[in-house]
Amino acid sequence: MARGPGAPVAAALGVVVVLAAAAAWLGAEGKACTNAFPGLTSHTERAAAQLRPEPASELGSHGHEQHHLTHTDESTWMSLMPRRALRREEALDWLMLYRRLRGATAGAPLPGAAGAFLSEASLHDVRLEPGSLYWQAQQTNLEYLLLLDVDRLVWSFRKQVALTAPGTPYGGWEGPDVQLRGHFVGHYLSATAKMWASTHNDTLKEKMSSVVDALYDCQKKMGTGYLSAFPSEFFDWVEAIKPVWAPYYTIHKIMQGLLDQYTVAGNSKALDMVVKMANYFSDRVMNVIQKYSIERHWESLNEETGGMNDVLYQLYTITNDLKHLTLAHLFDKPCFLGLLAVQADSISGFHSNTHIPVVIGAQMRYEVTGDPLYKQIATFFMDTINSSHSYATGGTSAGEFWTYPKHLAETLSTENEESCTTYNMLKISRNLFRWTKEIAYADYYERALINGVLSIQRGTNPGVMIYMLPQAPGHSKAVSYHGWGTKYDSFWCCYGTGIESFSKLGDSIYFEEKGDMPALNIIQYIPSTFNWKAAGLTVTQQIKTLSSSDLYLQVSLSISTTEQL
């Protein structure tokens, strides 16, 4: 077994789970640890199936061929959690469950246990230079966010709880008969919070607050803490291991959007809402463990769950509620993280954007608990992607999946580099840079940002974006499978990550080292101004426009005291 320097020999269940799962997978035939229901292996195929005339509700009744993890060491899994139902007095004891997940003697860690890292500059303090390429991309996105109608965005949420729903719903993946409906609204909440921080546009603040208020009314009407544009029965299908289009993926987007509305935009109502959602799903997961076993819960994670672990770790740092920390652990997908824990480049065949967010959650686990295994997992994953699964652009995936390492020339087509994967890989490289200050991660970020984010808008046409970035010679974005999207009838997953990406273009330029002697790291040459409050300074970057004849990029920095501005 390959182990990094200083990697602990841990008996904690969190480590045992990933290693036991990896051992099963190393000898497995095929990739069961992915959302691989027959004929429904990618978002593209699922969308095509649901947008056919046949009723979407029939999907949940299809027969299910087993494509899940075979637990070769049953005794290991049985020792992690008994099959019998937990005693009633144990059922709500989240400390007991946490100790089972982390080892018998483990206590609750304090937030920030991993130590001090670089701090990203607040979007409130960074402004892109008007007229620059980045500013134009930001403004095009702002225009799109302002074009979208609140009533149309929340239409399916209101219908779900029998509230009056004025207007008509949007189409595409937000259509009222599409199982993934509601996911874009979560992205919209995240994007508007970050765009408002980046621009302080008052109209946008009013619009995003209206969305939160409408969702608040829906959650209140439901009365259980549940909040979604689709019925809770979708989670019955998840728990019964029946096909359904990634409901936890959508829930993650909604929870993250609400959390961003609180942490970035200061909406306290949004925090109360996300706590209620977390508590609702805590009860659901606990019920699965009680009624069946921990194994059934792990198996249900073979469907796409987005970054449920990530958002729950973030929530724990705010609430210090051990229930939220334990639930985050329960969404750390062991059969995938286990491969990375033993440093096996065996990710070919996995659906890329199902699993990248799980690694982001593992990074948050490291920051919260200080467990070095999860730093090692994230580092190995990033190095694996960068060395063996990335195109020259920095993007990854072919037809939404990873293929054999270092065989990328065989995959060049119109369906490369799903933009969702670029959005999430940027998060991973950004976190690693904050931890290590290694310039290789900053270089990756720059390459992927320029090629894989700025390129997905169609000029200054608001709401027209791309799903995949073709890599084959002579191919065009316009003639790929999806082509260019539309303002009101696409709402692909990549539309959601797209509006977020263009709302936070200023979030990875400046990183602070806080303390008695503050320091500033500038890792992107992007025309912008940063209000460095800790030092009482304003830092401005200006970049000379490049031409094909230029040998060098010319950057000028000017620094002034804040009091003079």
Side-chain angles (χ1 to χ4, degrees):
M1 179 189 306
R3 305 186 65 87
V9 180
L13 186 144
V15 177
V16 173
V17 166
V18 291
L19 297 184
W25 266 105
L26 289 174
E29 182 177 353
K31 290 296 190 300
C33 181
T34 189
N35 53 327
F37 292 113
L40 296 172
T41 55
S42 71
H43 282 304
T44 298
E45 291 170 333
R46 291 178 182 221
Q50 295 219 344
L51 294 173
R52 293 188 192 111
E54 62 181 2
S57 59
E58 293 180 3
L59 183 62
S61 62
H62 290 176
H64 173 51
E65 179 183 343
Q66 289 295 327
H67 277 257
H68 295 285
L69 178 62
T70 301
H71 305 287
T72 56
D73 187 354
E74 185 73 10
S75 63
T76 299
W77 291 90
M78 288 292 287
S79 69
L80 306 185
M81 187 68 68
R83 279 188 179 276
R84 63 170 178 80
L86 299 176
R87 295 193 303 273
R88 183 169 181 81
E89 61 270 22
E90 293 177 325
L92 299 178
D93 186 347
W94 287 91
L95 178 59
M96 178 278 297
L97 182 55
Y98 174 77
R99 284 176 173 168
R100 286 179 179 270
L101 287 168
R102 293 283 296 136
T105 61
L110 297 174
F117 305 122
L118 292 178
S119 299
E120 62 270 21
S122 169
L123 286 170
H124 292 278
D125 297 327
V126 178
R127 291 293 178 267
L128 302 179
E129 181 181 329
S132 68
L133 177 64
Y134 292 87
W135 180 85
Q136 286 181 343
Q138 181 190 73
Q139 294 301 304
T140 299
N141 194 51
L142 173 61
E143 186 178 348
Y144 181 48
L145 296 178
L146 291 171
L147 280 174
L148 294 170
D149 179 76
V150 172
D151 287 333
R152 298 190 72 182
L153 284 168
V154 301
W155 192 92
S156 290
F157 287 85
R158 286 170 168 162
K159 276 292 184 182
Q160 178 58 38
V161 295
L163 288 175
T164 301
T168 58
Y170 282 123
W173 290 16
E174 284 295 303
D177 295 322
V178 176
Q179 290 180 342
L180 210 65
R181 61 189 180 271
H183 76 104
F184 181 83
V185 177
H187 284 293
Y188 183 84
L189 290 172
S190 291
T192 51
K194 293 173 182 179
M195 182 63 84
W196 176 74
S198 299
T199 64
H200 283 191
N201 182 287
D202 291 335
T203 304
L204 185 65
K205 184 174 185 180
E206 181 180 346
K207 186 181 287 281
M208 71 190 190
S209 297
S210 296
V211 175
V212 174
D213 290 343
L215 296 182
Y216 176 84
D217 292 340
C218 293
Q219 189 182 50
K220 184 178 180 180
K221 177 71 181 298
M222 179 65 73
T224 62
Y226 183 75
L227 174 63
S228 181
F230 51 72
S232 60
E233 283 77 13
F234 282 17
F235 291 96
D236 295 337
W237 298 351
V238 169
E239 293 159 5
I241 321 299
K242 292 182 179 179
V244 60
W245 192 3
Y248 268 124
Y249 171 93
T250 296
I251 291 300
H252 162 242
K253 304 309 176 190
I254 298 169
M255 291 180 69
Q256 186 66 64
L258 289 170
L259 199 61
D260 288 337
Q261 284 289 320
Y262 170 71
T263 58
V264 180
N267 190 327
S268 58
K269 180 185 288 187
L271 176 62
D272 179 67
M273 293 168 67
V274 75
V275 167
K276 284 184 170 65
M277 291 182 72
N279 292 342
Y280 172 85
F281 286 103
S282 296
D283 291 342
R284 286 205 74 120
V285 171
M286 180 66 83
N287 182 64
V288 171
I289 294 172
Q290 288 181 285
K291 186 176 179 181
Y292 300 104
S293 67
I294 191 82
E295 297 158 290
R296 170 61 72 86
H297 170 67
W298 296 133
E299 188 175 12
S300 73
L301 299 189
N302 289 349
E303 180 52 88
E304 186 169 8
T305 59
M308 283 294 294
N309 55 350
D310 181 27
V311 72
L312 288 162
Y313 284 124
Q314 294 174 53
L315 183 62
Y316 169 72
T317 65
I318 297 169
T319 66
N320 288 325
D321 188 335
L322 192 61
K323 175 165 54 178
H324 300 149
L325 176 64
T326 307
L327 189 62
H329 283 357
L330 287 166
F331 278 95
D332 285 328
K333 190 172 182 178
C335 60
F336 182 70
L337 294 182
L339 290 173
L340 305 178
V342 298
Q343 300 193 359
D345 182 359
S346 185
I347 66 174
S348 61
F350 281 94
H351 185 257
S352 305
N353 208 50
T354 291
H355 296 91
I356 303 172
V358 176
V359 179
I360 298 170
Q363 289 183 306
M364 195 63 191
R365 177 168 179 159
Y366 166 63
E367 294 201 17
V368 168
T369 68
D371 187 336
L373 175 64
Y374 291 85
K375 179 181 181 181
Q376 177 185 334
I377 283 172
T379 302
F380 175 75
F381 176 75
M382 182 73 226
D383 292 347
T384 298
I385 294 296
N386 204 13
S387 66
S388 304
H389 297 275
S390 286
Y391 300 103
T393 57
T396 189
S397 77
E400 299 186 17
F401 287 80
W402 286 306
T403 57
Y404 291 109
K406 300 182 180 179
H407 282 251
L408 295 177
E410 301 168 9
T411 71
L412 301 181
S413 71
T414 63
E415 305 307 299
N416 302 122
E417 193 170 343
E418 183 186 9
S419 60
C420 280
T421 63
T422 302
Y423 161 87
N424 280 312
M425 287 303 302
L426 286 174
K427 289 186 176 183
I428 289 178
S429 61
R430 180 176 187 261
N431 287 336
L432 287 167
F433 177 77
R434 287 195 304 108
W435 298 350
T436 65
K437 294 195 288 186
E438 290 187 15
I439 203 64
Y441 300 129
D443 285 344
Y444 176 90
Y445 196 100
E446 180 182 56
R447 184 167 81 255
L449 177 69
I450 293 172
N451 293 300
V453 173
L454 294 182
S455 63
I456 70 171
Q457 280 182 335
R458 190 172 189 180
T460 57
N461 192 349
V464 180
M465 291 180 282
I466 202 73
Y467 193 127
M468 304 280 193
L469 288 177
Q471 298 295 307
H475 284 71
S476 165
K477 300 174 189 177
V479 296
S480 59
Y481 175 85
H482 294 90
W484 289 105
T486 62
K487 289 182 175 70
Y488 308 125
D489 290 295
S490 295
F491 298 109
W492 308 317
C493 52
C494 298
Y495 257 59
T497 54
I499 61 172
E500 283 195 54
S501 292
F502 291 109
S503 294
K504 61 184 185 70
L505 290 173
D507 78 342
S508 294
I509 305 172
Y510 305 97
F511 291 86
E512 296 182 71
E513 295 182 47
K514 297 184 176 179
D516 295 335
M517 186 67 68
L520 186 65
N521 294 263
I522 303 175
I523 70 163
Q524 303 295 324
Y525 296 128
I526 295 176
S528 57
T529 299
F530 172 49
N531 182 8
W532 189 10
K533 293 176 179 177
L537 299 172
T538 297
V539 179
T540 300
Q541 280 196 73
Q542 292 181 320
I543 317 296
K544 182 181 177 181
T545 303
L546 281 172
S547 70
S548 59
S549 61
D550 289 329
L551 296 178
Y552 303 103
L553 175 67
Q554 297 184 41
V555 181
S556 63
L557 293 174
S558 59
I559 301 173
S560 59
T561 59
T562 303
E563 291 77 13
Q564 294 175 343
L565 298 178

